[in-house]
Amino acid sequence: MKFKTEAKFGLNYVLCLVAFLVIARPAGATILYWGNGSTKGGAGTWDTSAAHWSTASGGPFTTVWNNTANAGDTAYFDTAAGTYSVTLGA
């Protein structure tokens, strides 16, 4: 009987570990869409202080790009051609 108790404990341990790893995994990269307020697209300066980004392609474009938090994210320009400037920063 002792063997079955140890086997049951081992299985519970493994199940808890798997559940923890699934819950604690880091969030995946996000696609951020370029816009200007409520308008998709448009010219502008990509920096770390102006809100030109959204997680939805239709906006609202109220997210500021953060080089640390957005390091794995993708910048997406899905509109007509425009003029964009990039300001280097933190």
Side-chain angles (χ1 to χ4, degrees), residues 10-46:
L11 178 60
N12 287 339
Y13 176 77
V14 170
L15 291 175
C16 287
L17 180 61
V18 169
F20 173 76
L21 292 174
V22 169
I23 293 169
R25 67 186 166 105
T30 301
I31 295 175
L32 293 173
Y33 298 89
W34 174 268
N36 195 355
S38 61
T39 305
K40 185 178 191 177
T45 300
W46 178 356

Side-chain angles (χ1 to χ4, degrees), residues 18-90:
V18 169
F20 173 76
L21 292 174
V22 169
I23 293 169
R25 67 186 166 105
T30 301
I31 295 175
L32 293 173
Y33 298 89
W34 174 268
N36 195 355
S38 61
T39 305
K40 185 178 191 177
T45 300
W46 178 356
D47 57 26
T48 56
S49 61
H52 284 291
W53 303 97
S54 174
T55 55
S57 71
F61 303 93
T62 56
T63 300
V64 174
W65 187 274
N66 179 313
N67 286 340
T68 302
N70 301 117
D73 293 346
T74 301
Y76 196 77
F77 301 85
D78 67 338
T79 181
T83 302
Y84 309 101
S85 302
V86 177
T87 300
L88 300 177

